[in-house]
Amino acid sequence: MIDYSNEIFNAVATDLRSAYEGIKVVGEYVATPTHFPTVTIDEISNVPTHLDSSVQSKYAEVQYRVQIFCNGNGKRAKAREIYGTVAQRLSLMGLVPVTYTTTPAIYNSEVYCITGTFRGVIDRDGVIYRG
């Protein structure tokens, strides 16, 4: 398995913690956070691709899910701003956005959530190619 999930998580988390004081960034899915704003970043797919006769994978198609939870006045605007920071970092790394959805009413009317997915192809040296 080609695994650079920690490197990807750490790059995004570092940017977010520098830009937003008090933000919580976690590396796994959270149904309803207790702290706001919270951002989750988790790898939801990592499958070998471009297989040949070698035993070791040369490339893997990876997909990441990002959730941004905000509450209070301006929650929508803050969530969109944070999403922009995440999307910019992941794009600079070579991952492309695939989905973007908002779910303000699923948890309760006080919480606004943006969920996005990003994907790319990564080689065993950690180079990401837009997929």
Side-chain angles (χ1 to χ4, degrees):
M1 177 176 170
I2 297 173
D3 185 8
Y4 285 90
S5 59
N6 284 338
E7 290 82 353
I8 292 168
F9 172 84
N10 288 333
V12 177
T14 298
D15 282 4
L16 290 173
R17 290 176 182 136
S18 294
Y20 305 98
E21 185 176 332
I23 195 167
K24 183 175 182 181
V25 185
V26 296
E28 58 188 30
Y29 174 82
V30 173
T32 306
T34 56
H35 176 87
F36 298 95
T38 291
V39 176
T40 70
I41 306 160
D42 63 318
E43 186 178 78
I44 58 173
S45 179
N46 183 325
V47 293
T49 186
H50 305 293
L51 296 174
D52 60 18
S53 61
S54 119
V55 176
Q56 201 174 41
S57 298
K58 293 180 181 171
Y59 302 95
E61 185 173 320
V62 294
Q63 189 162 347
Y64 288 85
R65 173 180 46 211
V66 176
Q67 297 174 279
I68 297 106
F69 296 93
C70 291
N71 70 348
N73 291 337
K75 60 191 172 196
R76 179 182 176 274
K78 180 56 90 177
R80 291 174 62 84
E81 179 184 338
I82 293 168
Y83 176 85
T85 302
V86 171
Q88 181 178 21
R89 167 50 66 192
L90 292 176
S91 178
L92 288 171
M93 296 179 79
L95 295 166
V96 295
V98 179
T99 65
Y100 174 97
T101 58
T102 61
T103 52
I106 288 178
Y107 305 103
N108 63 51
S109 62
E110 299 300 315
V111 177
Y112 190 85
C113 177
I114 294 173
T115 302
T117 57
F118 297 81
R119 79 168 166 226
V121 174
I122 191 165
D123 69 18
R124 58 183 167 203
D125 295 321
V127 177
I128 301 173
Y129 305 91
R130 297 184 184 279

